[in-house]
Amino acid sequence: MEGQILIRSKEKTKTTLLDSMREACKKVAPVWPLESFTAVNPYLGLTGCHFDVAARKLNRVAGVQMTLPVSFYLNKIREGKITYVDLQSAISKKMQSPMDVQTFISELEHTQPLPSGNQGIVTLIDVATNCTGQDWNRFVTARISTWAASYFDKSQASWKAADQLLGIFESWRAEAQVDLSTEIAGLNYFRKNVKALPDQPLTAAKMAIAYLDIPDDGLPDYLHRLLLRVGGWSAHVARLDWDNELYGKKSGLLIEWLAVLICWEACMLKSLHDPEIELLWTAAKRDLEVASKRKGQDAQLEKKLVLQEAFDLSVQREIAGKFQAVKTDPIAPPRRPLAQAIFCIDVRSETFRRNLEQVNSGIDTIGFAGFFAFPIDFLPIAHSISEPQCPVLITPAPKVHEEIADKKLHQAAFKGRVLRHQVSQIWKSFKSGAVSCFGFVSPMGLSYLPKLLTDSFGLTRPVPHPDTAGIGAKVAKQKSVSLKFVNHQDVNIGIPLPQRTQMAKNALKAMSLTENFGRFVLVVGHGSTTVNNPHATGLDCGACGGRSGEPNAKVAAAVLNDKEVRRQLREENITIPSDTLFLACLHDTTTDKIRIFNQDGLPETMKKEFQELKEALEKAGKATRAERALRMGIKGNLDKEIIARSKDWSQVRPEWGLAGCNAFVVAPRERTKKLNFGGQTFLHSYEWKKDEDFSILELIMTAPMVVTSWINLQYYGSTVDNTHFGSGNKTLHNVTSGLGVMEGYSGDLRVGLPLQSVHDGENYQHEPARLNVIIDAPIDAMNAILEKHQAVKDLCDNEWIYLFALDEQGKVGHRYEGKLEWELVSCEM
């Protein structure tokens, strides 16, 4: 009977199927929307197994690559980057039948690479595509993506086709029953087949799996393959589940999504009803069952994993060599610095910090996560939805509102922004209306010409700066934060005094900044300045949820300048001198300029020193721009050219972001002050002798260390396999649903970074190396933390990151080998 899904094999119990679906869903990493694009480890669900095992599994299931082509590594061998010693160590460690280096290289040079395009496990849609010659893969992905873009839309679309009030499966089922495109394409009775499905997603998935007759042994891999086919939308739904779990809500949305993908395959098989397809599908299922049990290894993949290991060893040797080469000076007696500047641990801060210390020896710098231990929920002026300003691993605590001290100005700014938004929405409706859009281009088109010209020549910005949008630059300078604690409509706003004191104490102790305060303490958040860049928030502060660190810097400075907070801190044996002023600052990583927000009203006695500080910041910015200009190939007037890039709407590489990141150093600044890491290292200040119970070390290893590994592995995945874990060519991007981008007009939602973020057109600006974490702390303390936190231990044991310990002389002394075992590092490393 047409429209009815028949069960061809014994029914699989709902419990068994649900377990398999959960197993597959755990392997999908979440992806955050463009408004808060945050780096995430694309292999997040696989860190429980070894890096090499994950590489084999992903390659088998979906043809995913976890190394670059052999040619990349051969070039590194010829350049001397990878030495024979590196190769021999990697061969001895990885290969079951070790060989000498020369033979290994010779085999690589004379082995033809396998054809690219390995699709992994064959699904029903793959079989139909291969059998009919019709690209069903593209068609199905387009239909799923079109519906998903409407269902998950965040107010970008003027018209919505999908019913967002229904559940994922229910909404898709309703849409698929009226979508004629499937039957026009040749899927007879597809709508009736969908209508015949049960209402409940699990029951429908059970029926579909039974009809497809997927073998039990191959079911987890098959389900994982379905999710990776539309990996972008799968990742978006995984993020919805992530947020629900973070805030204590019910999850399970990704299981519903997977039910949709399963039912698509079953309905398609029934609709095609082709004996040849059914025969080939039977053969594909046999191959699936065999592949799930196969123990053999892909020889070419194994060699590429050896090469990647050798490349990682070469990077480790270079980093360790920096520590080995530096001479340790006797510890100088403490002196009161002119200023202490607290920067985010972001690799772009390393360059600025180094230059700032060089231009003025009276300034010390400190590295700390860019939310500065103030996890706030921030509401900008005239916004209706607050923004979490903290890492995605934690939930924000107090709600803080932006304000202007002058009430009349605040009210005017509020009304101005609301009016601007309303006008913008009306104008958007006029441009995209079904009737009015036809009359828009001719009468209004020429009026855009002056703006197009000034934008193109860099005289104006294509869009207003978000800080000044709707309120003007002069008023924007007066924006501040309100710490006053009030209860408004049963919602607590502001930070009560006890909580302010506790947050201040936690922050200062975590920064190892509890004494010898300078005249100025700069709390330097960071953000970026770019236009026409969908992934702009990916250049902002990851520790602030993919947003500018400005609000956190302002809150931290306001709290630490609070006289009552300082009084209570004295009772905790933390004395901040009365003449110490905390300054809220913002480092623009695109232009390397520093803005200071609370500099008005300085006492006369501080103005001379403040001028010295400002001159040092300007000189450091100029030196940093010159350093980065070399990497970006900029010539001429560097300041002018770099600032022009920040407002050039045709610029695909306004800055390099965190490309090149390969190390995370947790140590006192004295250990790294003489080292030049080239803007590729995260630097976190930490003094273990002040950390009596190692609670701060535990916090660092379970939060910043995990976050930096996410950043590193996102860049890694976007480099080695941009098809699956990147977002392709930036020039082809179309923003979709306000969530992400498509490459072109159709296809899957793309995840990860654009090609232009990791490659300059000729060479990789991010060369894939796993993160090297170097910590100045006792090994026993680190082992205790690893033993306590299995997820962190998995990262180290399974070689997703490499862990090292500094010795008493500040040299890299030990390397973590797994299972809480360490080995001495040789001087030749």
Side-chain angles (χ1 to χ4, degrees):
M1 178 180 177
E2 297 297 354
Q4 185 175 0
I5 299 289
L6 302 176
I7 299 178
R8 295 185 172 183
S9 65
K10 63 178 183 179
E11 289 191 357
K12 297 173 175 63
T13 66
K14 185 180 290 187
T15 303
T16 302
L17 176 58
L18 183 57
D19 289 344
S20 296
M21 292 174 77
R22 283 175 175 159
E23 181 183 345
C25 289
K26 286 178 182 177
K27 296 172 184 174
V28 177
V31 63
W32 271 259
L34 293 176
E35 65 182 10
S36 56
F37 188 74
T38 306
V40 63
N41 171 12
Y43 315 105
L44 188 60
L46 297 166
T47 53
C49 61
H50 194 275
F51 178 91
D52 293 0
V53 173
R56 298 182 193 111
K57 184 176 295 187
L58 285 172
N59 185 259
R60 185 187 77 245
V61 170
V64 173
Q65 300 298 309
M66 283 180 63
T67 69
L68 284 174
V70 170
S71 58
F72 169 82
Y73 303 99
L74 287 175
N75 285 336
K76 292 300 175 184
I77 294 170
R78 296 185 192 106
E79 293 169 4
K81 167 83 173 180
I82 299 177
T83 66
Y84 276 30
V85 174
D86 298 328
L87 277 169
Q88 191 61 65
S89 297
I91 291 169
S92 301
K93 178 180 177 180
K94 297 284 185 184
M95 298 191 72
Q96 294 180 352
S97 302
M99 62 178 70
D100 65 88
V101 173
Q102 196 58 56
T103 302
F104 180 78
I105 294 174
S106 179
E107 286 190 4
L108 289 174
E109 291 176 334
H110 293 91
T111 301
Q112 285 292 105
L114 294 176
S116 60
N118 170 30
Q119 64 182 0
I121 288 172
V122 177
T123 66
L124 183 278
I125 296 173
D126 296 323
V127 169
T129 298
N130 296 334
C131 182
T132 65
Q134 186 172 346
D135 196 347
W136 289 111
N137 273 303
R138 176 174 292 186
F139 174 79
V140 173
T141 299
R143 297 319 307 154
I144 291 174
S145 195
T146 298
W147 162 76
S150 179
Y151 181 77
F152 295 113
D153 180 75
K154 294 186 69 176
S155 303
Q156 179 181 335
S158 299
W159 301 340
K160 292 183 177 64
D163 191 340
Q164 296 180 326
L165 299 178
L166 300 177
I168 290 175
F169 182 82
E170 194 178 359
S171 177
W172 167 77
R173 186 169 173 270
E175 171 72 12
Q177 289 180 55
V178 297
D179 182 6
L180 292 172
S181 62
T182 50
E183 294 180 12
I184 292 172
L187 297 179
N188 298 324
Y189 304 107
F190 186 87
R191 292 181 297 147
K192 288 184 179 180
N193 290 332
V194 172
K195 187 175 182 180
L197 291 168
D199 295 338
Q200 296 300 316
L202 283 178
T203 308
K206 175 185 173 183
M207 182 178 287
I209 288 291
Y211 181 74
L212 291 164
D213 197 22
I214 305 297
D216 288 342
D217 290 337
L219 184 58
D221 284 348
Y222 167 76
L223 296 177
H224 189 197
R225 175 73 180 96
L226 291 183
L227 288 167
L228 288 175
R229 182 200 300 282
V230 280
W233 286 112
S234 298
H236 169 68
V237 182
R239 199 271 306 174
L240 297 177
D241 272 341
W242 175 286
D243 282 352
N244 285 338
E245 291 174 7
L246 188 65
Y247 290 96
K249 299 177 183 178
K250 185 179 179 181
S251 60
L253 297 176
L254 190 55
I255 288 176
E256 273 199 63
W257 171 260
L258 180 53
V260 170
L261 306 182
I262 296 168
C263 290
W264 243 108
E265 292 247 313
C267 290
M268 188 169 182
L269 177 60
K270 179 64 179 175
S271 295
L272 289 172
H273 195 58
D274 185 321
E276 185 178 356
I277 290 177
E278 292 184 359
L279 187 64
L280 292 173
W281 177 232
T282 300
K285 287 184 288 186
R286 283 199 300 267
D287 292 342
L288 171 62
E289 194 166 18
V290 170
S292 65
K293 299 176 181 178
R294 186 179 295 138
K295 300 296 182 182
Q297 297 177 353
D298 182 325
Q300 191 172 81
L301 175 58
E302 295 309 309
K303 289 179 179 178
K304 289 200 287 187
L305 289 172
V306 169
L307 289 168
Q308 180 58 47
E309 175 76 13
F311 182 70
D312 281 313
L313 288 172
S314 73
V315 173
Q316 293 166 17
R317 176 168 39 76
E318 289 183 7
I319 295 171
K322 294 179 186 293
F323 286 92
Q324 310 300 100
V326 71
K327 293 182 179 179
T328 305
D329 295 332
I331 298 176
R335 88 288 185 240
R336 188 181 190 191
L338 165 66
Q340 286 136 331
I342 307 164
F343 283 83
C344 181
I345 59 177
D346 188 285
V347 298
R348 291 165 291 182
S349 299
E350 183 270 330
T351 313
F352 198 101
R353 289 175 62 185
R354 173 166 35 83
N355 285 313
L356 182 58
E357 291 166 340
Q358 287 176 355
V359 299
N360 191 315
S361 60
I363 300 176
D364 295 336
T365 68
I366 296 168
F368 193 75
F371 73 114
F372 307 113
F374 285 85
I376 60 173
D377 204 18
F378 182 67
L379 185 69
I381 292 174
H383 284 230
S384 57
I385 301 175
S386 57
E387 303 168 340
Q389 294 277 152
C390 58
V392 296
L393 295 169
I394 63 177
T395 54
K399 292 184 179 294
V400 176
H401 286 196
E402 188 175 48
E403 70 169 9
I404 296 174
D406 186 312
K407 291 185 178 180
K408 288 185 178 180
L409 272 181
H410 179 92
Q411 199 63 27
F414 186 95
K415 290 180 179 178
R417 271 197 170 167
V418 170
L419 178 61
R420 179 182 179 277
H421 177 72
Q422 291 172 340
V423 170
S424 175
Q425 290 301 107
I426 293 171
W427 191 242
K428 179 183 176 183
S429 298
F430 173 66
K431 289 193 295 182
S432 57
V435 177
S436 58
C437 65
F438 292 101
F440 174 78
V441 177
S442 297
M444 300 300 299
L446 287 176
S447 67
Y448 278 77
L449 185 58
K451 186 73 162 59
L452 284 171
L453 291 174
T454 55
D455 287 348
S456 298
F457 287 102
L459 301 175
T460 56
R461 286 175 56 90
V463 293
H465 193 285
D467 284 348
T468 60
I471 58 176
K474 289 184 179 180
V475 177
K477 289 181 179 179
Q478 301 185 49
K479 292 189 303 178
S480 61
V481 292
S482 174
L483 301 182
K484 185 178 179 181
F485 183 72
V486 295
N487 184 281
H488 180 67
Q489 296 180 347
D490 294 327
V491 176
N492 292 330
I493 299 170
I495 310 176
L497 180 60
Q499 190 176 10
R500 292 184 208 178
T501 304
Q502 187 61 47
M503 294 175 84
K505 175 187 172 184
N506 292 344
L508 293 174
K509 284 199 167 185
M511 296 172 188
S512 301
L513 180 61
T514 56
E515 57 188 359
N516 196 35
F517 292 87
R519 290 298 303 275
F520 301 99
V521 181
L522 283 67
V523 186
V524 189
H526 70 92
S528 65
T529 306
T530 63
V531 293
N532 195 27
N533 182 11
H535 292 89
T537 55
L539 300 176
D540 286 336
C541 182
C544 299
R547 299 178 177 88
S548 163
E550 177 184 330
N552 302 77
K554 286 180 174 178
V555 169
V559 168
L560 292 164
N561 283 330
D562 188 320
K563 292 181 180 179
E564 190 56 32
V565 169
R566 292 190 180 190
R567 185 190 66 78
Q568 293 192 8
L569 284 174
R570 284 196 293 272
E571 297 174 5
E572 301 282 348
N573 296 318
I574 300 176
T575 300
I576 301 175
S578 58
D579 64 346
T580 291
L581 177 65
F582 283 78
L583 296 172
C585 308
L586 184 71
H587 173 204
D588 186 330
T589 56
T590 314
T591 62
D592 283 310
K593 287 184 173 290
I594 300 281
R595 293 165 60 194
I596 303 175
F597 296 106
N598 57 328
Q599 58 181 297
D600 295 337
L602 281 175
E604 195 65 35
T605 54
M606 301 182 78
K607 288 188 175 179
K608 182 179 179 182
E609 291 171 310
F610 182 69
Q611 186 59 35
E612 181 184 350
L613 173 63
K614 287 181 66 176
E615 289 174 1
L617 291 172
E618 183 58 38
K619 289 178 182 177
K622 196 173 186 65
T624 305
R625 286 190 290 276
E627 188 172 330
R628 287 185 175 155
L630 291 174
R631 186 179 178 189
M632 304 191 84
I634 298 173
K635 299 177 181 179
N637 187 324
L638 301 184
D639 288 1
K640 182 180 178 180
E641 291 297 322
I642 286 177
I643 291 170
R645 292 172 82 94
S646 71
K647 52 184 180 180
D648 182 353
W649 64 351
S650 66
Q651 181 54 250
V652 293
R653 298 179 181 93
E655 61 161 280
W656 279 119
L658 297 98
C661 62
N662 58 28
F664 176 39
V665 179
V666 182
R669 180 55 174 159
E670 286 73 18
R671 298 290 200 202
T672 59
K673 203 166 188 176
K674 293 184 177 181
L675 304 181
N676 182 344
F677 292 104
Q680 297 182 325
T681 301
F682 303 94
L683 295 177
H684 198 302
S685 298
Y686 172 70
E687 296 181 32
W688 71 264
K689 292 180 180 178
K690 294 182 179 180
D691 186 16
E692 295 179 1
D693 58 356
F694 294 107
S695 59
I696 296 173
L697 179 62
E698 182 176 6
L699 181 64
I700 293 171
M701 291 181 67
T702 55
M705 188 173 91
V706 174
V707 171
T708 52
S709 77
W710 280 22
I711 295 169
N712 169 264
L713 288 168
Q714 184 186 63
Y715 273 86
Y716 185 102
S718 297
T719 301
V720 297
D721 194 337
N722 200 269
T723 299
H724 288 96
F725 295 131
S727 57
N729 188 342
K730 183 183 282 190
T731 62
L732 301 178
H733 284 173
N734 281 310
V735 175
T736 303
S737 307
L739 298 172
V741 297
M742 286 184 183
E743 192 178 11
Y745 71 93
S746 184
D748 188 20
L749 196 71
R750 298 304 302 266
V751 300
L753 301 163
L755 279 168
Q756 286 89 345
S757 292
V758 296
H759 198 281
D760 64 10
E762 295 182 2
N763 300 298
Y764 287 104
Q765 285 297 316
H766 183 85
E767 296 181 337
R770 283 165 279 182
L771 190 70
N772 299 286
V773 180
I774 302 167
I775 301 179
D776 184 5
I779 287 175
D780 289 344
M782 288 190 275
N783 274 351
I785 293 166
L786 292 175
E787 199 166 17
K788 184 178 177 181
H789 299 277
Q790 185 61 44
V792 179
K793 185 171 181 289
D794 284 344
L795 285 174
C796 302
D797 280 8
N798 296 325
E799 296 189 347
W800 295 96
I801 62 177
Y802 295 102
L803 184 59
F804 298 85
L806 292 180
D807 60 22
E808 293 181 359
Q809 286 72 45
K811 315 296 183 185
V812 177
H814 289 81
R815 172 170 42 203
Y816 182 76
E817 287 296 293
K819 298 180 180 179
L820 306 181
E821 298 292 331
W822 297 70
E823 71 169 4
L824 281 170
V825 172
S826 66
C827 296
E828 291 79 20
M829 176 184 173

